[in-house]
Amino acid sequence: MIDTNPEKIHELLTRSIKEVLPTKEALQEQLLSGKKLRIYIGTDATGTSLHLGHATNYIILEKFRKLGHEVIFLIGDFTSRIGDPTDKTAARIPLTREQVVENVKTWLDQIRPIVDIDNKENPVKIMYNHDWLSKLSFEDVIDLASHFTVQQMLERDMFQKRLEEQKPIHLHEFFYPLMQGYDSVAMDVDIEMCGNDQKFNALAGRTLQKKINNKEKFVFITTLLENPKTGEKMMSKSLGTGVFLDSSADQMFGGIMAQPDENIHQLFVDCTYVSDAEIMDMVLGMQNGENPMQYKKRLAREIVAIYHNEDEAIDAQTNWEKTFSEGGLPDVIPEIKSTSGVLLSEVLVENKYLKSKTEFRQLTDEGGIKIISEDLFEEKITDFQYKLSETVVLKIGKKKFVKVVV
């Protein structure tokens, strides 16, 4: 049975929603009609970890599932090998089939806290677009391409920017919207859910679904986690930045506490189950001069409790306060393994504690990487070519700790 509760539908169409195409009113009418709809969200397998930005969409996907609609979690195991050019100043590096398979091994476990994947009455469908995209002939691809113009493709902001900067635009990048668009046709969906950065690709799917299946498709666009002051993304799977769903409780708590104060409001709205009314009370409190720290701690507890549990959330707060309020070390420090003689920069980049060797060099120049002794003495690492010779506890920046076991 389809649940047509107006209050639940109202929340579904208002919280964490940027835009609904063609109109929100038209989708509301469909949801109230009792018709069972098929909705999907796709995620490219460009990394092993999902982050809180993905979680926003999965939380909404679960709301659709609870209303009785058919939901699909599409893993872009084919599209990720090409790479979505969205927001990219250069073409992505293609991935191998083996890399893609390795990347998605733990994805389902990462989203289980927020999506009832194995529900027996209305289970989530897990699909892979390699199943149909790999079977398209060259003739099929030409037919898909015939529905679009080069001018349409060049209208995309990142392509315009590359043209201005005289950077190359590779022909295969034009195929990405076609592939994502064909996903809608292959699965014959009623709704595609995506972030605002995927609007162009989703609309390509709306065009193809109409022309090939003679069917209207709604594009359900969610809000992106962006800093309201800088406009920068809070989370990026491909860059390895943000708060990831497979993080330990301590890492997750610390990652939330490291967010700027201006991000608190949206993180509450998009990543927790706290009511809108209570969130607004906290926002008004901060606007009236109350210390944001208390609300950020509440935010961190709420999120850690979702992906771990209440007890671990409380312990994580205790560890964080001990570390950053009292100047001590966390009770639990994540460990990574290495061998003697390896460059520390390589170990930290490979294990995603830093984005690049360039960031490592910048931190060493600024004294931002320190070895912490048992008596809490701090020794700065200033050598960019520092090689590991023994097990060390490191403090990276102000709020990140790791033990490298040699």
Side-chain angles (χ1 to χ4, degrees), residues 306-344:
I306 291 171
Y307 299 97
H308 294 277
N309 58 55
E310 293 281 355
D311 290 339
E312 288 189 65
I314 294 171
D315 289 343
Q317 179 172 342
T318 300
N319 289 336
W320 186 89
E321 290 174 342
K322 176 180 178 181
T323 303
F324 302 110
S325 299
E326 303 170 17
L329 287 173
D331 287 340
V332 179
I333 298 177
E335 294 185 1
I336 54 178
K337 294 182 179 180
S338 185
T339 54
S340 182
V342 176
L343 288 170
L344 177 59

Side-chain angles (χ1 to χ4, degrees), residues 47-85:
T48 57
S49 302
L50 300 168
H51 54 59
L52 288 179
H54 298 116
T56 301
N57 293 330
Y58 303 142
I59 287 172
I60 296 173
L61 191 73
E62 176 67 359
K63 291 178 181 178
F64 274 106
R65 193 200 64 76
K66 285 184 174 179
L67 289 176
H69 298 287
E70 180 182 351
V71 299
I72 300 171
F73 177 37
L74 176 67
I75 295 174
D77 58 337
F78 190 94
T79 42
S80 57
R81 296 180 63 190
I82 304 301
D84 181 11

Side-chain angles (χ1 to χ4, degrees), residues 22-50:
T23 68
K24 188 179 293 186
E25 292 74 20
L27 179 55
Q28 182 179 38
E29 183 179 343
Q30 288 286 302
L31 292 170
L32 289 171
S33 72
K35 177 184 176 182
K36 186 168 187 173
L37 303 175
R38 180 179 298 143
I39 177 172
Y40 95 96
I41 180 167
T43 306
D44 274 357
T46 52
T48 57
S49 302
L50 300 168

Side-chain angles (χ1 to χ4, degrees), residues 341-352 357 360 386:
V342 176
L343 288 170
L344 177 59
S345 59
E346 293 180 355
V347 175
L348 294 179
V349 171
E350 182 180 345
N351 288 276
K352 297 183 180 179
K357 288 187 178 181
F360 181 87
Y386 181 91

Side-chain angles (χ1 to χ4, degrees), residues 72-122:
I72 300 171
F73 177 37
L74 176 67
I75 295 174
D77 58 337
F78 190 94
T79 42
S80 57
R81 296 180 63 190
I82 304 301
D84 181 11
T86 300
D87 292 337
K88 297 300 170 186
T89 58
R92 289 181 184 264
I93 299 173
L95 299 175
T96 65
R97 175 71 174 162
E98 290 73 21
Q99 287 174 309
V100 167
V101 171
E102 184 67 26
N103 282 346
V104 302
K105 279 185 176 178
T106 65
W107 277 17
L108 298 185
D109 287 335
Q110 291 178 50
I111 67 172
R112 273 193 170 87
I114 51 177
V115 181
D116 189 0
I117 294 176
D118 305 311
N119 185 279
K120 293 182 179 179
E121 295 182 0
N122 186 22

Side-chain angles (χ1 to χ4, degrees), residues 266-309:
Q266 191 181 355
L267 285 168
F268 262 118
V269 172
D270 292 347
C271 304
T272 77
Y273 302 111
V274 177
S275 70
D276 290 336
E278 192 172 357
I279 292 171
M280 284 311 303
D281 285 342
M282 289 186 276
V283 170
L284 290 173
M286 288 185 284
Q287 291 175 349
N288 291 329
E290 294 182 12
N291 189 344
M293 179 66 73
Q294 61 177 313
Y295 299 119
K296 195 183 291 186
K297 288 181 181 179
R298 164 78 186 281
L299 172 66
R301 285 199 311 273
E302 292 282 348
I303 291 176
V304 173
I306 291 171
Y307 299 97
H308 294 277
N309 58 55

